[in-house]
Amino acid sequence: MGLLSIIRKIKRKEKEMRILMVGLDNSGKTTIVMKINGEDTSVISPTLGFNIKTIAYQKYTLNIWDVGGQKTIRSYWRNYFEQTDGLVWVVDSSDLRRLDDCKYELDNLLKEERLSGASLLIFANKQDIQGSLSPDEIAKVLNLEAMDKSRHWKIVGCSAYTGDGLLEGFDWLVQDIASRIYMLD
Amino acid sequence: MEETDQSSHDIAAAAAADETLERKHAAMLERLSNRHLSRLSGKPDSNSATSFESTQSFLTQFSQSKLSIESHLSRIRENADPNRKPDLESISLEISSLEKLVAENSYFLPPYEVRTCLNTIAQLRQSVDDVTSLVIPKKKFSFKNKPSKKATTVPAEKEVVLSEPEIKLNVGLEKLGFRDLNAAPGFRDRDNEVLVKEFNRTESTGQNGEFTLSNLRDCEVRLKGRLRALFMDKLINCKVYVGAVMGSVLIEGAEGCVFVLASHQIRIHNAKNCDFYLRVRSRPIIEDSNGVRFAPYCLSYQGIEKDLTEANLGEETGNWMNVDDFRWLRAVQSPNWSVLPENERIGMVDVSNVGNVD
């Protein structure tokens, strides 16, 4: 029995997925996690460090690692890369000025070997704010098409404020991971 | 014959052994003294004066600085003269460096000493404040319609400071072609102006938008009503008064500014010598900032209560002083920010009677 099949067996038994949420500060990572978990989103402080949420989603257990995005602590992101099944990159669609920063950090992140197998979901957050860029526009700026061949990815417009789009995004992510790890069971 | 030969050989061997032992001993002594010397001479310059690893020497230095500050202060108190303001400023600088000293040495000091030192510093601060208000009568805050002209003489060197966090503007956005960054609502590239914007409360668009303040100098900005998000970058010597922000406020690069803001979240990056009067639902954070001071929100205009209440900002949360400094992850108070002393705070600011210019 190969190592891969052992790992698959263990994972199948637990039906666990490890999901890493990253993105620039102020993009709404913590708010997204709180919202899908049905918690109050009106009092959220900028994340100093990280939060872990375990959520039962469909027949899976999601371990969501929500890591702070402030510049000073971005260098610690790599401490969370190990064994990541799904990567969620959150973009503040209303912050046009820092889209360059956003592209730069995402490109850096995707170079990481330990994340090479992970499915990538991009949330174009804050769609409810007037003047926000659409998911298509964000996809263009971030040049997402360039990784068509190397990775499973999808961009979804959402609003952590209203909750729109969050389930659509996580549905895709969970299905995509499941079809890779659990072989369509 | 053989025997004596043998014994003399033994003696010679013993003498030789003695000699090597002695040599080793001498070498060891030399090594030791070298090490001692290098320790004596090396320590002060390699570790500078900021770290002693010895509670005793730290306390000596601390009490010396404390005494010198106190004697300075009492001299100024005896001879109250408004021209002594620079002296007072240098004293508060000394206190700040004393605080820094405590922070740098906190890793080896016993908790008790850290606490007493911090208390002493707080007391010193208090007495500086007392002397300041004694020597320099408190300025009355008054609302001027135009920002004062004299402020325009400062620029030149300040430009350099703020250009550091500047980013090459949006290479990515150019690719888009169909979206102009400057078309988004906001005030940009203004100098010495009063900028007023009232967000319409009846239209849904009015409260769902974001707003940007970018590259302003010597301006006074008044944003009334409710808005969803507020971005600010490169503000110099500005006064910014804002009603209710239902989402987050992001500030990147500000110097010599006064902000009066109510918001759900506030992030402050690269700010220098700014005062913030905040009401905020979560903990404000600062990053790469220094000389920033915090106080409670103090804005009024007709209808502000309604705006605040509907934005869930009706009540004081006390979070204005729960500041997290991402550049200072230690138990002791960050030297980069402080609570604005009450006698230096501006009073209630009323921006009721100014029209809309935008």
Side-chain angles (χ1 to χ4, degrees):
Chain A
M1 198 190 282
L3 181 61
L4 187 62
S5 52
I6 295 176
I7 293 173
R8 277 201 185 125
K9 262 213 175 123
I10 294 170
K11 286 245 178 185
R12 193 174 304 160
K13 210 186 281 169
E14 296 170 349
K15 293 226 191 286
E16 268 192 8
M17 294 178 182
R18 186 179 147 114
I19 291 171
L20 179 64
M21 305 258 306
V22 275
L24 298 192
D25 50 310
N26 196 36
S27 55
K29 297 174 290 295
T30 309
T31 312
I32 287 176
V33 177
M34 302 286 244
K35 191 78 182 178
I36 61 167
N37 204 28
E39 289 174 67
D40 177 25
T41 57
S42 72
V43 189
I44 296 174
S45 294
T47 308
L48 216 174
F50 63 92
N51 308 309
I52 310 173
K53 274 261 141 56
T54 303
I55 296 176
Y57 195 89
Q58 298 168 1
K59 49 190 174 175
Y60 303 100
T61 304
L62 308 188
N63 287 319
I64 303 182
W65 293 66
D66 158 34
V67 190
Q70 297 295 145
K71 201 182 228 160
T72 328
I73 56 178
R74 282 180 209 160
S75 52
Y76 298 106
W77 284 352
R78 57 192 151 85
N79 300 340
Y80 304 90
F81 290 166
E82 221 64 64
Q83 297 177 357
T84 295
D85 299 312
L87 189 63
V88 181
W89 180 261
V90 185
V91 183
D92 176 354
S93 315
S94 68
D95 190 356
L96 278 57
R97 202 179 62 83
R98 293 200 303 167
L99 272 178
D100 270 352
D101 267 6
C102 175
K103 178 172 168 44
Y104 171 81
E105 294 288 354
L106 177 62
D107 287 348
N108 260 351
L109 189 75
L110 295 181
K111 280 181 205 147
E112 179 58 44
E113 214 171 303
R114 283 174 291 170
L115 294 175
S116 59
S119 311
L120 172 65
L121 169 67
I122 295 125
F123 266 135
N125 193 20
K126 308 200 186 180
Q127 289 296 318
D128 58 302
I129 296 185
Q130 205 199 11
S132 291
L133 291 181
S134 70
D136 286 348
E137 288 172 299
I138 302 250
K140 256 186 205 148
V141 176
L142 299 181
N143 197 17
L144 297 178
E145 280 161 23
M147 55 187 181
D148 267 348
K149 287 188 182 124
S150 55
R151 186 186 291 276
H152 292 193
W153 68 271
K154 185 179 175 70
I155 184 163
V156 175
C158 75
S159 161
Y161 187 70
T162 63
D164 288 344
L166 297 182
L167 290 184
E168 184 195 342
F170 273 95
D171 277 346
W172 174 82
L173 186 65
V174 168
Q175 285 318 313
D176 192 73
I177 296 170
S179 63
R180 273 190 301 115
I181 299 180
Y182 305 115
M183 309 292 276
L184 300 164
D185 57 355
Chain B
M1 184 64 197
E2 254 187 14
E3 251 175 37
T4 53
D5 236 19
Q6 181 65 45
S7 64
S8 72
H9 191 251
D10 275 357
I11 290 164
D18 259 8
E19 211 174 293
T20 42
L21 228 149
E22 224 160 85
R23 223 178 311 129
K24 269 190 188 160
H25 187 69
M28 186 187 72
L29 280 181
E30 196 185 328
R31 266 205 314 276
L32 274 179
S33 75
N34 274 345
R35 203 174 295 164
H36 185 63
L37 275 178
S38 73
R39 205 176 295 146
L40 280 182
S41 62
K43 185 127 197 200
D45 49 43
S46 71
N47 265 351
S48 76
T50 54
S51 180
F52 314 94
E53 301 259 344
S54 140
T55 312
Q56 201 48 53
S57 49
F58 167 80
L59 286 178
T60 325
Q61 158 124 12
F62 184 87
S63 62
Q64 270 171 7
S65 314
K66 182 189 160 213
L67 279 178
S68 104
I69 291 170
E70 275 171 344
S71 69
H72 245 107
L73 268 178
S74 61
R75 239 177 295 147
I76 294 177
R77 187 175 295 157
E78 279 160 24
N79 176 14
D81 174 4
N83 299 329
R84 309 288 302 253
K85 199 175 170 206
D87 290 354
L88 282 168
E89 275 161 8
S90 77
I91 290 178
S92 43
L93 277 181
E94 271 175 58
I95 296 179
S96 299
S97 61
L98 197 59
E99 191 172 32
K100 212 169 153 199
L101 184 84
V102 178
E104 270 160 357
N105 289 284
S106 61
Y107 68 95
F108 70 84
L109 287 176
Y112 172 76
E113 304 294 357
V114 175
R115 216 165 42 231
T116 32
C117 288
L118 289 178
N119 275 340
T120 315
I121 287 168
Q123 277 161 16
L124 284 175
R125 279 257 155 79
Q126 188 56 49
S127 45
V128 170
D129 287 345
D130 293 347
V131 175
T132 312
S133 54
L134 186 83
V135 173
I136 306 154
K138 195 191 158 194
K139 258 186 278 170
K140 264 233 169 79
F141 179 79
S142 65
F143 214 80
K144 294 187 210 92
N145 242 341
K146 283 266 172 185
S148 59
K149 280 279 195 291
K150 77 165 198 320
T152 38
T153 53
V154 222
E157 66 188 295
K158 298 225 159 160
E159 192 100 66
V160 187
V161 187
L162 277 190
S163 61
E164 178 223 342
E166 191 171 7
I167 327 158
K168 8 85 210 173
L169 253 187
N170 293 288
V171 192
L173 270 184
E174 275 166 21
K175 259 188 245 151
L176 276 173
F178 47 79
R179 191 70 83 108
D180 181 10
L181 185 61
N182 291 328
F187 295 127
R188 295 179 174 82
D189 309 316
R190 309 286 187 100
D191 205 333
N192 202 9
E193 287 181 51
V194 177
L195 306 163
V196 182
K197 168 89 180 164
E198 191 146 359
F199 293 89
N200 199 329
R201 289 173 201 121
T202 48
E203 283 172 44
S204 62
T205 51
Q207 40 179 281
N208 279 324
E210 29 96 45
F211 202 78
T212 301
L213 304 176
S214 175
N215 197 18
L216 306 181
R217 185 189 286 275
D218 303 312
C219 287
E220 186 180 301
V221 184
R222 307 171 187 182
L223 307 179
K224 292 191 255 179
R226 280 178 284 146
L227 58 160
R228 273 297 309 279
L230 180 59
F231 298 106
M232 296 184 247
D233 67 288
K234 278 181 260 148
L235 305 187
I236 299 176
N237 294 330
C238 292
K239 296 194 171 85
V240 180
Y241 306 112
V242 183
V245 181
M246 298 190 288
S248 64
V249 173
L250 183 66
I251 300 172
E252 282 208 333
E255 189 170 341
C257 296
V258 175
F259 296 90
V260 183
L261 300 166
S263 156
H264 284 205
Q265 284 191 333
I266 292 178
R267 293 177 173 84
I268 299 161
H269 303 160
N270 296 301
K272 229 180 173 182
N273 305 326
C274 294
D275 289 347
F276 293 87
Y277 297 82
L278 303 181
R279 176 173 299 171
V280 53
R281 285 182 67 86
S282 58
R283 300 169 70 93
I285 72 121
I286 61 171
E287 199 175 30
D288 301 314
S289 300
N290 61 62
V292 292
R293 305 188 295 176
F294 292 85
Y297 192 60
C298 58
L299 190 68
S300 89
Y301 58 78
Q302 211 153 30
I304 191 171
E305 286 310 325
K306 187 165 176 282
D307 284 337
L308 290 175
T309 312
E310 284 175 13
N312 246 332
L313 288 162
E315 278 160 39
E316 179 56 64
T317 57
N319 271 332
W320 61 269
M321 61 188 304
N322 296 331
V323 180
D324 284 328
D325 183 354
F326 276 61
R327 279 273 174 209
W328 191 264
L329 307 175
R330 304 193 209 180
V332 285
Q333 160 74 30
S334 153
N336 299 324
W337 70 273
S338 59
V339 170
L340 189 54
E342 264 177 62
N343 57 2
E344 289 179 50
R345 292 178 193 171
I346 58 177
M348 185 60 84
V349 182
D350 192 341
V351 292
S352 290
N353 45 12
V354 184
N356 205 339
V357 296
D358 194 58

